[in-house]
Amino acid sequence: MAQRMVELIEAKRDGAALSADQIHWFVQGVVEGRIPDYQSAALLMAIYFQGMNRQETVELTMAMAHSGDILDLHDVAPVVVDKHSSGGVGDKTTLVVQPLVAACGVPVGKMSGRGLGPSGGTIDKMESIRGWSPELDLARFKQQLRDIGLVLSGQTSDLAPADGHLYALRDVTGTVPSTPLIAASIMSKKLAGGADAVVLDVKVGSGAFMPTVEAARDLAQIMVEIGEDAGRRMAALISNMDEPLGYAVGNALEVKEAIATLRGETTAGMAVPPDFWEHAVTVAAHMVLLAGRVPSLDEARSLVTAARDRGDGLQKFRQMVAAQGGDVRQVDRPELLPQAPLVETIAVKRAGYVTRIDAGALGWTAVRLGAGRAEKGAAIDHAVGFVMPVKVGDRLQAGDTLATIHAASDGALRDAEEAIRAAVTLRDEPVEPLPLFYDMLGET
Ligand code: URA
């Protein structure tokens, strides 16, 4: 039925539920380029404030999933697994987990996104590698999955194109932290990507879009239900984002940290952060378990760890980089990845226990350094960011390293120093380290 976009905006602005027809008309209009960005942005903001009921969220997800093709991968493998994070600071989990799971003999077909607000995006990180491309048509997606057991694509004109458009708009219009918009964005990609089993990593905390465990649980629950209703096996982990994951924040720096983690050693000055490895091995083990490769989580963990220890995960990562046009010399020698002109280590000024880290502020610090976007489609600087080997609960002495900042200019470096110092609270009383996970839903 013909609609007028302004009527949808006004209806949602005033708190009404949109009909299935209206939602499908909107999503189709976005993909066909009939709806100008300013009207889409207005509707997104109305949804941000007014929310969507369960039925609207399901319709939005389905309309976005069906805005392109829905892959059927059963001619490639009987069970393909996927994972997705709801977004966090320093979250380079996919770069480690995907090759490790593939190295365990479980094919991983994954569609990722770019940076979103203060949270980095897998595609932006991978594009730090010269020549690497997320643009794969359906035939190549399948062929690569068949050939090497892993593929990492972005939203394309074939796969979840509506999410490609809306995601880029949400990034720059302050409309990211909305449960229905996140659920539809993530699950449309997961349904279109064709995986049989999906592990969701739903983050909670100052560096996440969900501020409380309850809100994260609600988001996880609706995504698990949408997936299960579509016949997928689903698991969701609720994980901590009250401090960055690992040490590195910024695209090439995170790729280096991921390579170091796959190697299990210090690489080009990047050590393996214990929290990041524990997080990665847990997510990977859940993927291996959900795919039915082994009967228990303990066995899945052993399989994943052995794949890392044998170097098979690193080999898979290398194969994926090569298959998607990337320069594997930068994987073998991470020091060849983009380097910022200015690198400076800043020290702690007073002794104390780290009691709080404002991960969200740190994410925005990376964006301001140039690692993320202020405008739709803007270029980013892959080299900039920081490495902060500091966790809540650590006891620090004056003079210890607080962070090493990688910046494009002196002004940006000084701004980042001020922001990083302000984001870390030191007190005299000890505090416990933060847990990595709070809860699990679905088949865990
Ligand atoms: N990841 C996505 O793909 N979409 C969101 O909205 C948030 C995280």
Side-chain angles (χ1 to χ4, degrees), residues 281-351:
V281 77
T282 304
V283 173
H286 277 281
M287 291 168 74
V288 169
L289 180 69
L290 200 61
R293 176 83 175 73
V294 285
S296 76
L297 193 61
D298 281 349
E299 285 164 272
R301 281 183 72 97
S302 306
L303 216 56
V304 170
T305 307
R308 193 273 312 263
D309 293 347
R310 283 194 309 270
D312 292 355
L314 185 64
Q315 277 316 312
K316 278 284 162 209
F317 183 73
R318 228 177 155 273
Q319 284 177 355
M320 183 267 284
V321 168
Q324 295 184 218
D327 184 349
V328 288
R329 285 173 305 174
Q330 291 178 307
V331 179
D332 299 337
R333 294 180 53 208
E335 66 275 18
L336 298 178
L337 284 161
Q339 299 273 3
L342 301 178
V343 180
E344 189 176 304
T345 297
I346 57 169
V348 178
K349 287 188 176 158
R350 55 154 280 191

Side-chain angles (χ1 to χ4, degrees), residues 346-355 390 394-402 421 424-430:
I346 57 169
V348 178
K349 287 188 176 158
R350 55 154 280 191
Y353 292 93
V354 179
T355 51
V390 166
D394 286 357
R395 163 107 182 120
L396 299 179
Q397 303 294 343
D400 284 352
T401 293
L402 179 59
R421 289 194 186 284
V424 178
T425 307
L426 290 170
R427 297 250 190 278
D428 295 331
E429 305 74 36

Side-chain angles (χ1 to χ4, degrees), residues 241-262:
M241 190 28 75
D242 265 321
E243 60 190 357
L245 189 57
Y247 301 150
V249 180
N251 299 294
L253 294 169
E254 294 189 45
V255 173
K256 282 187 194 171
E257 189 165 85
I259 293 170
T261 303
L262 285 168

Side-chain angles (χ1 to χ4, degrees), residues 256-275:
K256 282 187 194 171
E257 189 165 85
I259 293 170
T261 303
L262 285 168
R263 286 189 179 173
E265 63 186 34
T266 300
T267 302
M270 305 293 297
V272 180
D275 68 319

